[in-house]
Amino acid sequence: MMMNRRTFSTASLAGAAASLVSSRGMAATTSPVKARNVVLVHGLFADGSCWTEVIARLQAAGLNVTSVQNPLTTLPEAVASAQRVLDRQDGPTVLVGHSFSGMIVTEAGVHPNVSALVYVAARAPDADEDYTALAKTYPTPPASAGIVFDGDEGRLSEEAFLRDFAGDLPEAKAKVLYAVQQPFHKQLLAGKVSHAAWRSKPSYYAVSTEDRTINPDLERFMAKRMGATTIEVKASHLALISQPDAIARLILDAAGQSK
């Protein structure tokens, strides 16, 4: 059959699109293996205890759970802290990241013990991508204006923490979380991932629709790009605390433990 230039061009574009869908949709079309281990990683302005509500629910479901204490120093050091925990797991493991730690999940997620990835209102860059540049293509979220620095260490002001980071939590609870927030080093924000584990591992994403720390539309873009199984949660940036049932269910789905 003869093919004119227009037909050839259309066919070529269709082929390219199919290839793109194939490479990006791989994670969505691959079912996770059953896992009994979960490793949780926290982001900026927090520590490992921020996962407490989710941990209790996963443990009640019979899962072995570890919350990484992210050093918040440099990206390589943060990734190494997660890798050390992953090395200790005795089989398939779901790796979960909140906020900034999506960077860690994306890089460390290539670990052979990792069976699935879960992003909770988290960064999900591609390999060698400038996340800051990507984020600037969306309106700047309010929390960004509340970051204050003491030399090379950054943290959120109390006003920004209560309003823009933990806005749907009772004030007394949010103030406790503010009291334990860990400062991050400026160098941490300069890192880029060299691998994008979501291109080869089943991936799940929880979008926080009321997020004032990461733009919800940016979250939706990243979730769609990775072909993630996605839920939307009416929550602030801290859905893992204000909506722990929804987040725990998503992690159980990723672990192949749904009932």
Side-chain angles (χ1 to χ4, degrees):
M1 184 178 85
M2 292 189 66
M3 184 178 290
N4 62 32
R5 181 178 297 176
R6 182 175 180 181
T7 304
F8 177 79
S9 176
T10 301
S12 298
L13 287 171
S19 175
L20 189 62
V21 168
S22 175
S23 66
R24 291 183 178 176
M26 188 184 307
T29 58
T30 304
S31 298
V33 300
K34 195 164 186 177
R36 65 173 301 274
N37 302 308
V38 176
V39 171
L40 307 166
V41 193
H42 69 85
L44 308 185
F45 323 123
D47 68 5
S49 67
C50 68
W51 290 103
T52 299
E53 296 293 335
V54 172
I55 290 170
R57 287 159 173 78
L58 297 178
Q59 288 177 335
L63 297 184
N64 172 48
V65 188
T66 308
S67 183
V68 176
Q69 292 293 355
N70 178 357
L72 301 176
T73 48
T74 67
L75 184 59
E77 289 174 351
V79 169
S81 69
Q83 289 173 330
R84 287 191 293 273
V85 174
L86 290 170
D87 287 342
R88 299 201 301 265
Q89 305 310 302
D90 60 359
T93 301
V94 176
L95 180 60
V96 187
H98 171 244
S99 192
F100 175 86
S101 72
M103 303 280 289
I104 300 168
V105 166
T106 299
E107 182 75 18
V110 297
H111 192 287
N113 282 342
V114 175
S115 57
L117 312 170
V118 179
Y119 294 80
V120 181
R123 300 184 180 198
D126 205 346
D128 298 315
E129 183 173 51
D130 184 338
Y131 175 84
T132 300
L134 172 65
K136 285 181 179 178
T137 63
Y138 291 82
T140 302
S144 299
I147 299 176
V148 293
F149 284 94
D150 299 312
D152 288 332
E153 290 190 336
R155 56 186 173 81
L156 269 184
S157 69
E158 183 172 11
E159 181 182 8
F161 193 102
L162 300 182
R163 182 189 61 211
D164 302 324
F165 187 67
D168 61 345
L169 298 182
E171 183 175 330
K173 189 168 190 174
K175 283 187 172 182
V176 170
L177 295 169
Y178 171 75
V180 300
Q181 89 165 285
Q182 296 298 299
F184 68 91
H185 291 224
K186 281 184 179 179
Q187 187 60 30
L188 180 66
L189 304 181
K192 290 183 182 180
V193 301
S194 56
H195 303 93
W198 50 261
R199 287 195 172 275
S200 59
K201 303 285 177 85
S203 300
Y204 297 73
Y205 200 108
V207 173
S208 285
T209 62
E210 311 303 308
D211 205 322
R212 293 170 61 87
T213 301
I214 295 180
N215 188 297
D217 285 334
L218 173 56
E219 294 176 15
R220 294 183 180 104
F221 166 79
M222 292 184 290
K224 183 177 181 181
R225 179 174 66 172
M226 72 171 71
T229 298
T230 304
I231 63 170
E232 296 213 351
V233 185
K234 186 176 175 58
S236 70
H237 195 56
L238 292 181
L240 66 169
I241 299 174
S242 65
Q243 300 285 348
D245 287 332
I247 302 307
R249 281 195 301 270
L250 186 64
I251 295 170
L252 288 169
D253 287 345
Q257 299 280 355
S258 299
K259 296 181 180 179

